[in-house]
Amino acid sequence: TKLTDTIIVCSYNPKTAEVSMISIPRDTFIGTDIANAKSADKINVLYSRNKEKLLKSVSNIVGFEVNYYVVLNNEAVVKIVDKIGGVVFDVPIDMDYDDPTQDLHIHLKNGKQRIYGEEAEQLLRFRHNNDGTSYPASYGDNDYGRMKTQRDFIEATIKQSIRLRNIILCKSIYNTILENIETNYDIKELKKYIPTVAEFSFDNIKNYQLPGQSELHNEIWFFIYNKQKTKELLKEII
């Protein structure tokens, strides 16, 4: 998504109606020499420079070939959330952040509430408050907390969209996606999955974060993913 340069690897099996999402931190190290690591060795650099190389790096991380990328712009998120009448979501903490340079102002109270389009954009972009506080460590602070919130919100959006059991609405969402997307996938292929929505089970949505930890190298913070744990996670998912 263009909201945060967030990378989420998604898979959908139409036969079993299973959806899996794995967040890859934007600071994930993809270089070859950690001793001489530089900012250009972060995976989010490829996001804007070369989508094909991004696919290759993501494929190397997850251990299977990822063929397609889909980039949704901010407007798509706002419109989709508004089309379904907002999303009921439990905001994990009070969010109070302002960045005049981006015309970004985030002001949300914690607790269960109905989130509409512009509020959804605020929620998905939040990392920390004006005073420097962020999500609690148990939740995952800054980028890690943001990724968890993003996955949880996507899951809530899918569940509440499906609950409507409205194929016409799905087609409307499809059209919104079509107008606000950048992809190498034949988006028209999505149409054939619309009828499967009515049979979808909420229990079939799983979300994860790439295993690993943050490390400081050359005064730059990187996320170093754990190859063995990643392999075990993907084996479990697949």
Side-chain angles (χ1 to χ4, degrees), residues 178-196:
L178 198 63
E179 295 165 0
N180 295 275
I181 203 171
E182 176 189 348
T183 182
N184 64 341
Y185 177 70
D186 183 1
I187 200 66
K188 295 179 181 178
E189 287 289 304
L190 285 178
K191 280 186 177 180
K192 66 184 180 183
Y193 296 123
I194 290 177
T196 69

Side-chain angles (χ1 to χ4, degrees), residues 23-234:
S23 292
I24 298 181
R26 54 183 290 157
D27 292 337
T28 299
F29 177 72
I30 57 169
T32 56
D33 183 8
I34 193 64
N36 295 303
K38 50 189 180 298
S39 295
D41 291 324
K42 295 183 177 184
I43 196 167
N44 70 310
V45 173
L46 295 178
Y47 175 88
S48 57
R49 290 185 179 178
N50 192 314
K51 299 295 192 303
E52 296 304 321
K53 287 186 177 180
L54 175 61
L55 286 177
K56 184 176 180 180
S57 291
V58 170
S59 298
N60 288 338
I61 290 171
V62 298
F64 61 85
E65 189 172 3
V66 179
N67 298 303
Y68 307 109
Y69 65 84
V70 177
V71 182
L72 278 176
N73 65 29
N74 301 17
E75 190 65 23
V77 175
V78 172
K79 287 182 177 179
I80 290 171
V81 171
D82 280 339
K83 278 181 182 293
I84 63 173
V87 175
V88 176
F89 188 74
D90 193 356
V91 178
I93 62 171
D94 287 345
M95 298 180 175
D96 184 30
Y97 178 76
D98 297 278
D99 183 353
T101 62
Q102 298 185 64
D103 193 24
L104 175 62
H105 304 281
I106 303 173
H107 302 290
L108 297 171
K109 293 293 183 181
N110 82 303
K112 186 172 288 188
Q113 57 198 279
R114 187 170 293 277
I115 299 292
Y116 293 95
E118 292 185 0
E119 295 169 328
E121 182 175 354
Q122 295 176 36
L123 177 75
L124 298 176
R125 296 184 69 176
F126 176 82
R127 291 178 62 245
H128 58 78
N129 290 304
N130 288 324
D131 62 4
T133 59
S134 184
Y135 296 103
S138 59
Y139 187 90
D141 62 0
N142 286 280
D143 277 333
Y144 307 130
R146 176 167 63 181
M147 286 187 295
K148 175 173 171 50
T149 297
Q150 289 169 344
R151 294 194 308 274
D152 289 348
F153 188 78
I154 290 171
E155 182 174 339
T157 302
I158 293 173
K159 288 180 177 179
Q160 291 172 49
S161 297
I162 293 170
R163 188 174 295 134
L164 297 172
R165 305 294 185 181
N166 192 328
I167 301 303
I168 294 177
L169 179 61
C170 289
K171 290 180 179 178
S172 178
I173 293 174
Y174 164 81
N175 289 332
T176 299
I177 291 173
L178 198 63
E179 295 165 0
N180 295 275
I181 203 171
E182 176 189 348
T183 182
N184 64 341
Y185 177 70
D186 183 1
I187 200 66
K188 295 179 181 178
E189 287 289 304
L190 285 178
K191 280 186 177 180
K192 66 184 180 183
Y193 296 123
I194 290 177
T196 69
V197 169
E199 305 301 323
F200 191 83
S201 170
F202 301 156
D203 295 332
N204 288 346
I205 303 175
K206 308 294 181 183
N207 71 64
Y208 311 85
Q209 180 173 308
L210 189 70
Q213 62 185 21
S214 293
E215 296 181 7
L216 188 63
H217 295 275
N218 296 330
E219 300 184 351
I220 303 171
W221 283 102
F222 293 94
F223 179 81
I224 309 299
Y225 73 96
N226 186 305
K227 294 183 179 180
Q228 182 58 37
K229 289 185 177 180
T230 298
K231 183 178 179 180
E232 293 170 1
L233 173 63
L234 268 298

